Amino acid sequence: MGQAKLRGTPEQRKQAAIEKQLSLRPKHIICNNCQTELTDINAVDVAELPGIDAAFEAHCPQCGHDTYAIKGEKEAVARLHMAIEDAAGAEAQAGSVPSASGR
Ligand SMILES: [Zn+2]
């Protein structure tokens, strides 16, 4: 029986990614919308995003805007930013559609 030690199981890789994220975690994120300093930062799961080292998200209590801080390869970061903007834009549009509130 060889000592076939499995290296880099999905679990281990995820753990390593989490540790890397924590080491990259900023002290604060500046709100993109109103420049408030946000310290309530959530780590985003980027284990399945190639080229991304870490991503953090903070919700601004002042203006309700979500700001993202993403670290990684330039292209991957740009792509993720666009994906987030797409998602946020769709949400904003959906939210701004006047609802037919006919009681
Ligand atoms: Zn804000």
Side-chain angles (χ1 to χ4, degrees):
M1 238 190 234
Q3 285 214 359
K5 201 175 182 186
L6 279 175
R7 286 209 299 156
T9 64
E11 278 304 303
Q12 286 172 329
R13 287 187 51 170
K14 192 160 190 184
Q15 190 58 39
I18 289 168
E19 275 163 25
K20 192 174 183 184
Q21 279 219 356
L22 289 177
S23 71
L24 290 170
R25 187 190 181 104
K27 282 201 185 75
H28 61 257
I29 293 177
I30 302 296
C31 175
N32 271 340
N33 198 41
C34 70
Q35 274 70 55
T36 296
E37 210 170 275
L38 309 172
T39 51
D40 190 9
I41 300 166
N42 299 308
V44 179
D45 184 3
V46 295
E48 284 169 25
L49 299 171
I52 302 292
D53 289 333
F56 303 93
E57 176 261 320
H59 184 77
C60 179
Q62 304 288 328
C63 69
H65 193 86
D66 287 323
T67 296
Y68 290 83
I70 303 164
K71 296 185 189 208
E73 290 167 21
K74 230 179 186 177
E75 240 179 72
V77 170
R79 222 177 296 136
L80 183 55
H81 262 297
M82 279 198 290
I84 289 168
E85 268 168 34
D86 275 0
E91 258 175 51
Q93 274 177 10
S96 68
V97 172
S99 59
S101 57
R103 257 196 197 189

